[in-house]
Amino acid sequence: MRTRFIVDKSVGYFLMLMALTSILAVFLIGFFTLREGLPAISEIGLGRLLTGSVWRPGLEEFGLVPMIAGSVLVTIGAAILGVPLAIGCAVFLAEIAPRWMSNIVRPAVELLAGIPSVVYGLFGMVVLVPLARKVPVAGNSGFGLLAASAVLAVMILPTITNISEYAIRLVPREYREGSLALGTTRWQTITRVILPSARSGIVAAIILGIGRALGETIAMIMVIGNSVIIPRPLNANPLTIFLSQARTLTGNIAVEINYATGIHESALFATGVILFVLIMLINSSARAIMRERTR
Amino acid sequence: MEETTGACRLRTIGYKLWYGDFCALHETTLDIPSNRITAIIGPSGCGKSTFIRTFNRMNELIPGVRVAGEVLLDGQDIFRLDVVELRRLVGMVFQKPNPFPKTIFDNVAYGPRAHGLRDRNRLAEIVEKSLRSAALWDEVKDDLSKSGLALSGGQQQRLCIARTLAVEPEVILMDEPASALDPIATLKIEELLQTLKKDYTIVIVTHNMQQAARVSDFTAFFMTDENRSGHLIEYGPTSRVFTNPREKTTEDYISGRFS
Ligand SMILES: Nc1ncnc2c1ncn2[C@@H]1O[C@H](COP(=O)(O)OP(=O)(O)OP(=O)(O)O)[C@@H](O)[C@H]1O
Ligand SMILES: [Mg+2]
């Protein structure tokens, strides 16, 4: 009796210790990134980092706007391409496919989440970049936002599909039957009752996908071109902005950290802090939306 | 079945249903008369819901369901009709009130909108008329933009009835529509049924024998056999079935000798 009690207790403490370790890890990563970034934040100033439009470390110019624009644009592009695809997949899996078919398609979609991102980068380089290069616009190298957005769209597909499918499956069967019993088609039932009822879960899924997109690094470096420029349309058509090269916040850190020293190095850490905070905010807002839903 | 007077709206002929290999309903042959209330009674699991869900082909949503025999709506084979059109003609109110997470107005306007009605004035007319017919108008008329989920259980069920009426069906199926409600709300629904039967053919499943005796014109009694399959045991005018049942099983059930 007594020993079992002790064993129970110590197992409990052990598990608690492990949980605390992961919290500690988050804390330590945040702390050290911040410590290394602080010199840049205090010397350059957070305002100038965030609003400066020139990044030229050799000339002590540390403006992140080109990279912020790159990250934001590539994420928007990924959302435009990936969100309809992912929601379509989720509706198919939850509402349309017979069970045996979703049992094949679902693992296939989940498999996408397990592919190393460098492999996505390779795929982007040999397939998507040459495809993007086919768009006949002067100055289009193929490397740029379009190819990067397409890669990213596939990378965020499993996240959004998974959580959206879950949200759709949570919609009570009674809504579905109530709608069909009124003489509506399956399509009307999906668009007018099921998707609106699952909306908050789907929004949370999209936000989590965006968080994932903002954090992606290596695949972006391989296809986005990495020019430190604020992306602009290549001709009069504003859509050609997506053929422009760009650099992401994450890519900027990874590309330069190997040779950066002094204030330059610190500025890269400061970029890391900004990403860290941004993605934490994004993930916790998604979590808040999901909590709202289940309440 | 000799006692059904007047026009027959729904008819099943040797209708049989299986869930996979399990035969839930044995050959059922019965006529449901127009503008009358027909009650389906019987112990739990005897196939009442299965039977009533036949008429708007809701059972088709369940994988593995097979049927045999004929089911006719005004003489037409329902399995040959377009299922969406059939469900517009044969509305259904469920056991658990299931308003959509939308406003009261949008709940009632849902069907007509889905069927292509865009005109705002016309929609408003239909919403008012349906809510009046469902005896809910006076309680909600000042608050049509409130969520349907914010209503009480009894109000929600009347909202669901209004939602069904809004698509102007000819038959209304009700699967234990009052079982989740308190006695006063139940009474309201029962009164409502009496006014609705002037315009609609109503089929109602109920667990409650008194309710069947109070509200219905005809009663069908179902019972399970040793394999848990449902059989139609007796069907006729409610007064006759309750006062002078022909089958011993019916008598036993009605007098509460088993449940
Ligand atoms: N989806 C299903 N799959 C398999 N069997 C089912 C399914 N739905 C119902 N059944 C079975 O069919 C039989 C009839 O069920 P049904 O729901 O029609 O009974 P009921 O008379 O409505 O019962 P209750 O009074 O409890 O609502 C039961 O034995 C039940 O277990
Ligand atoms: Mg039932």
Side-chain angles (χ1 to χ4, degrees), chain A residues 173-186 188-189 192-193 196-197, chain B residues 53 58 61 84 87-88 94 96 98-102 110 113-115 118 163-164:
Chain A
R173 209 188 62 188
E174 287 80 15
Y175 292 171
R176 198 166 290 131
E177 293 199 331
S179 172
L180 290 171
L182 289 167
T184 63
T185 62
R186 185 152 72 163
Q188 286 172 327
T189 299
R192 292 164 191 243
V193 174
S197 306
Chain B
R53 286 162 62 94
M58 276 317 226
L61 300 177
V84 170
R87 289 185 186 143
R88 204 191 62 67
F94 296 81
K96 210 173 120 209
N98 60 347
F100 302 130
K102 299 175 183 288
Y110 179 82
R113 275 185 182 140
H115 299 129
R118 287 279 164 279
R163 185 175 76 183
T164 303

Side-chain angles (χ1 to χ4, degrees), chain B residues 173-230:
Chain B
L173 310 171
M174 297 187 165
D175 192 351
E176 306 195 38
S179 68
L181 307 182
D182 64 61
I184 293 174
T186 301
L187 202 65
K188 273 223 156 102
I189 303 265
E190 288 182 9
E191 284 169 11
L192 177 58
L193 288 178
Q194 297 308 319
T195 59
L196 289 178
K197 88 176 190 192
K198 293 188 197 74
D199 301 312
Y200 303 93
T201 302
I202 297 173
V203 187
I204 179 173
V205 171
T206 174
H207 246 118
N208 178 331
M209 228 82 60
Q210 285 79 30
Q211 185 173 58
R214 270 196 308 266
V215 305
S216 71
D217 303 299
F218 291 87
T219 296
F221 170 59
F222 285 75
M223 183 67 204
T224 42
D225 64 15
E226 62 282 358
N227 299 322
R228 288 174 40 244
S229 296

Side-chain angles (χ1 to χ4, degrees), chain B residues 26-87:
Chain B
H26 267 277
E27 274 98 356
T28 309
T29 299
L30 138 166
D31 285 356
I32 290 172
S34 179
N35 295 87
R36 293 286 182 278
I37 298 177
T38 302
I40 313 288
I41 62 168
S44 188
C46 70
K48 305 182 294 295
S49 299
T50 302
F51 182 66
I52 198 176
R53 286 162 62 94
T54 294
F55 296 113
N56 61 348
R57 288 173 57 184
M58 276 317 226
N59 290 324
E60 281 172 25
L61 300 177
I62 300 166
V65 165
R66 281 184 302 128
V67 299
E70 275 184 275
V71 182
L72 307 177
L73 169 67
D74 294 332
Q76 281 185 296
D77 183 350
I78 64 164
F79 297 108
R80 296 241 175 92
L81 290 175
D82 173 36
V83 66
V84 170
E85 177 59 14
L86 172 72
R87 289 185 186 143

